[in-house]
Amino acid sequence: MLFDNENGASPLIGRRDVLKFGMMAAVTGAGGCLMSAPALAALKMPKADSYRVTIHNAHTNESFNGVYRIGNRYLPDAFERLNVVLRDFRTNEIFPIDPRAIDILFVLQQKIGKNQPLEILSGYRSPKTNTMLRKASGGVAKNSLHMVGQAIDIRAPGYSTRRLRDQAISLKAGGVGYYSRSDFVHVDTGKVRSW
């Protein structure tokens, strides 16, 4: 099992689940098939025919604005592009992002009512990058959920970061960290907790 050490240890989705989704995305993307993966999210999602998320990576200037889920099915082609935008920009490594993290972003965008993209500060983080950041700052977990594609650091330009944190906490969908000095909110698909 993977464990959350952002704030204590707790079992999350299994390594096989992450690998299975990544392999499925790679196979369907390579084959050009339009297969879709069933939704994994435990988050209470509003009923919709399709789910769209709009994000912009502050470090690479890359964006994603599109449908990533139709009904209860995730779209592998969309996740191929999302995984690129959410890659470790320091090492250029790409890793499958937990679809539930994207569901959290979708619901947050709906709650805050902003049509502009959520700004991404960190998505996937390689072990090398995580070690480097830990040496530079005391606020980086040794076994960060960023390293398994289950955490994203965000802000919503023109929207209070404190209010964004409150909205994220209200979802009860995972961990929420508030970094007021750096002006961002951490969301993850680990156990429900906040700091």
Side-chain angles (χ1 to χ4, degrees):
M1 298 292 273
L2 300 178
F3 290 89
D4 161 30
N5 286 322
E6 299 280 350
N7 189 18
S10 68
L12 302 172
I13 66 170
R15 182 179 310 276
R16 286 186 184 147
D17 295 329
V18 171
L19 294 174
K20 183 169 90 176
F21 181 80
M23 291 295 292
M24 188 268 314
V27 168
T28 58
C33 302
L34 291 178
M35 291 177 54
S36 58
L40 303 170
L43 174 65
K44 184 173 180 175
M45 297 289 288
K47 291 223 182 243
D49 292 333
S50 64
Y51 299 86
R52 170 182 293 272
V53 71
T54 305
I55 60 174
H56 177 263
N57 188 309
H59 301 287
T60 65
N61 207 29
E62 296 167 322
S63 296
F64 176 89
N65 178 7
V67 173
Y68 72 95
R69 175 177 167 171
I70 295 177
N72 201 32
R73 310 290 286 177
Y74 293 115
L75 305 178
D77 289 344
F79 274 88
E80 277 188 45
R81 293 180 301 161
L82 282 162
N83 292 339
V84 169
V85 174
L86 293 167
R87 74 186 179 280
D88 182 334
F89 71 92
R90 291 174 179 92
T91 64
N92 233 13
E93 291 178 60
I94 298 170
F95 190 88
I97 296 297
D98 184 343
R100 298 172 299 171
I102 305 304
D103 284 338
I104 290 170
L105 298 185
F106 168 81
V107 175
L108 283 174
Q109 280 190 302
Q110 298 298 303
K111 282 185 158 289
I112 67 175
K114 290 285 186 182
N115 291 329
Q116 66 193 39
L118 288 173
E119 188 174 56
I120 304 299
L121 302 174
S122 183
Y124 169 66
R125 191 184 294 157
S126 70
K128 178 181 177 181
T129 294
N130 200 68
T131 298
M132 181 268 298
L133 292 174
R134 270 183 61 75
K135 289 178 182 176
S137 168
V140 177
K142 182 177 181 180
N143 294 314
S144 171
L145 291 178
H146 285 281
M147 294 192 303
V148 290
Q150 292 182 264
I152 303 174
D153 296 339
I154 60 172
R155 64 170 65 115
Y159 193 82
S160 160
T161 307
R162 182 183 301 268
R163 288 180 60 207
L164 181 62
R165 175 215 45 201
D166 294 344
Q167 291 291 350
I169 289 171
S170 76
L171 300 180
K172 296 183 169 112
V176 178
Y178 176 52
Y179 297 88
S180 60
R181 281 193 213 155
S182 301
D183 191 36
F184 74 87
V185 174
H186 164 102
V187 295
D188 68 49
T189 60
K191 70 178 182 176
V192 175
R193 69 219 186 283
S194 62
W195 61 96

